[in-house]
Amino acid sequence: QVEQVLRSGHRIIVFPNGTRKEVSSDGKTVTVTFFNGDIKQIMPDQRVIYYYADAKTTHTTYPDGLEILQFPNNQIEKHYPDGRKEITFPDQTIKNLFLDGREESIFPDGTIIRVQLDGSKIIEFNNGQREVHTAEFKRREYPDGTIKTVYSNGHQETRYTSGRVRVKDTDGNVIMDTTT
């Protein structure tokens, strides 16, 4: 290895394999440029920034344990010390993955999908409508209080705020329609 010390106190070390290490005069910033093009920086605030040249991906680790990965397609992943993950996709959709297995996706239009531990989904639309998906049924709740449920066997039931209930069979034929 060859070490060069500049007047400023900045040190440059070149290793036989082509790896280059630069250390600031105060020793608080270290940059290592590896022979494969990867770059590792240790910053004064103890952040470690690693750039993977082949993948064009940057991985930043903070002293508190937070890790942020930035991919070339503009996807950003945050891995929190508590195990939670937040992924921001190129279209700005945000997906949160919780340690207990729950998931939450927030779409640019304001729609939110929550996946529960039992596999059921709750979808909240920006127009005030809400859907619940389970293995047994899919139910849409409208802002006016109307609730439409489609069961896994194909039967449909619509309950209106007026008290009216309409039931359809699997072919869409009305088999019951009440008014109050």
Side-chain angles (χ1 to χ4, degrees):
Q1 75 187 37
V2 176
E3 183 170 345
Q4 181 182 14
V5 179
L6 305 177
R7 281 191 193 147
S8 63
H10 188 89
R11 293 181 5 223
I12 301 171
I13 304 156
V14 180
F15 296 90
N17 68 358
T19 296
R20 176 185 174 107
K21 180 177 184 178
E22 298 182 39
V23 181
S24 63
S25 54
D26 61 6
K28 293 183 178 180
T29 305
V30 177
T31 302
V32 180
T33 305
F34 295 96
F35 64 92
N36 65 357
D38 288 4
I39 300 170
K40 178 180 180 179
Q41 294 177 288
I42 301 171
M43 307 305 284
D45 63 4
Q46 298 305 302
R47 276 180 301 142
V48 176
I49 303 168
Y50 196 103
Y51 176 75
Y52 296 91
D54 283 348
K56 295 181 177 57
T57 299
T58 302
H59 182 180
T60 305
T61 305
Y62 291 82
D64 65 1
L66 172 66
E67 296 183 43
I68 299 178
L69 293 106
Q70 296 173 286
F71 297 92
N73 68 351
N74 292 324
Q75 177 173 315
I76 298 172
E77 292 186 12
K78 294 180 182 176
H79 297 217
Y80 293 91
D82 64 7
R84 187 170 41 99
K85 293 180 183 174
E86 177 185 286
I87 303 166
T88 303
F89 293 96
D91 70 356
Q92 298 309 302
T93 296
I94 298 170
K95 184 175 209 166
N96 290 295
L97 303 169
F98 299 96
L99 203 54
D100 63 7
R102 291 177 300 120
E103 294 181 12
E104 175 185 77
S105 296
I106 304 166
F107 294 88
D109 70 357
T111 300
I112 300 171
I113 299 177
R114 292 184 178 91
V115 180
Q116 305 301 313
L117 295 177
D118 63 4
S120 64
K121 288 183 186 175
I122 299 170
I123 305 167
E124 296 175 8
F125 297 95
N126 60 7
N127 63 4
Q129 295 180 17
R130 184 173 184 258
E131 277 190 16
V132 177
H133 294 198
T134 70
E136 295 82 35
F137 64 82
K138 291 182 180 178
R139 180 176 64 223
R140 182 167 286 225
E141 302 166 359
Y142 296 87
D144 70 358
T146 299
I147 299 172
K148 181 175 182 175
T149 305
V150 179
Y151 294 93
S152 56
N153 66 6
H155 277 82
Q156 298 178 28
E157 175 184 285
T158 306
R159 295 184 174 272
Y160 299 92
T161 52
S162 64
R164 175 181 172 200
V165 176
R166 184 175 65 198
V167 178
K168 294 182 180 179
D169 65 15
T170 56
D171 297 321
N173 301 312
V174 176
I175 56 175
M176 184 179 88
D177 194 344
T178 65
T179 54
T180 57

